[in-house]
Amino acid sequence: MYVAYIAVAGVLMVMLSMSARMKLVRDQRAVEVIGGVVGVPLGVFPVLALLEIAGGVGLLAGIWVKPLGVAAGVGLAVYFTVAAASHLRVRDLSAEHVLPAVVLFVLSVAALALRLVA
């Protein structure tokens, strides 16, 4: 299970880094979907990126310090629950908009579960 946690944490860290980068550089697609469709102000984008980066770093630190991995997994699961709920709140049911949040939620829960048992 420990090796599985490392693999999931690594994949999730890469995906979180890409997502955070899109927010920090105000990628056109991120601005259109998160800002335009969901209604998140652009001023909040750096905070969202920081939360994603912190979660990814926490997962990687969790390889050596189990409580950090658990805390990061919980935090990321909550973050992506809110992200998916935000899309649903505005009735944005487009798979290409909601699916990334759902996939990242599932990976976050998987990382949390694997860290709890490893």
Side-chain angles (χ1 to χ4, degrees), residues 27-42:
D27 180 84
Q28 179 184 355
R29 179 148 171 73
V31 171
E32 287 173 3
V33 174
I34 301 168
V37 176
V38 178
V40 176
L42 288 178

Side-chain angles (χ1 to χ4, degrees), residues 61-72:
I63 294 170
W64 299 279
V65 183
K66 185 174 183 174
L68 286 177
V70 171

Side-chain angles (χ1 to χ4, degrees), residues 34-56:
I34 301 168
V37 176
V38 178
V40 176
L42 288 178
V44 178
F45 276 40
V47 175
L48 298 177
L50 178 64
L51 291 172
E52 290 175 338
I53 292 167

Side-chain angles (χ1 to χ4, degrees), residues 8 12 73-74 76-78 80-81 102-116:
V8 171
L12 192 50
V74 169
L76 288 168
V78 170
F80 288 111
T81 298
V102 172
V103 168
L104 288 165
F105 168 77
V106 169
L107 286 173
S108 299
V109 171
L112 172 61
L114 288 168
R115 194 59 195 124
L116 285 171

